[in-house]
Amino acid sequence: MEFDNQYLEYEEYKELGGTLEEAPFNILEYEAQLNIDNYTYGRLKNLSEQVMQVKMCIYNLIAT
């Protein structure tokens, strides 16, 4: 399964101290991305690069 246009890439997640393997990370990142898109009414989908605040939000959603 391909996970394109992630808000937080796996390597970024690992650099932040993430400990999940890549497969479970991809699933949780996708679910967190859906939550963020729901709360922001999809306004972040078309950004060419996500800002650090969004990346940290994804990281925190995965960690909980």
Side-chain angles (χ1 to χ4, degrees):
M1 181 177 279
E2 250 338 277
F3 291 91
D4 294 325
N5 301 319
Q6 291 179 309
Y7 289 175
L8 178 67
E9 298 288 334
Y10 183 68
E11 290 306 316
E12 295 170 317
Y13 167 75
K14 295 295 280 186
E15 287 175 14
L16 291 169
T19 58
L20 293 172
E21 295 295 322
E22 191 167 2
F25 162 80
N26 285 333
I27 293 166
L28 292 173
E29 194 280 341
Y30 177 75
E31 291 173 357
Q33 184 176 337
L34 291 176
N35 284 326
I36 288 174
D37 288 343
N38 184 47
Y39 285 113
T40 63
Y41 301 101
R43 289 185 294 242
L44 301 176
K45 285 183 180 183
N46 296 322
L47 295 179
S48 61
E49 186 175 321
Q50 293 302 326
V51 296
M52 183 54 74
Q53 291 89 338
V54 175
K55 293 177 184 292
M56 291 304 299
C57 184
I58 292 283
Y59 181 82
N60 287 324
L61 287 169
I62 289 172
T64 59

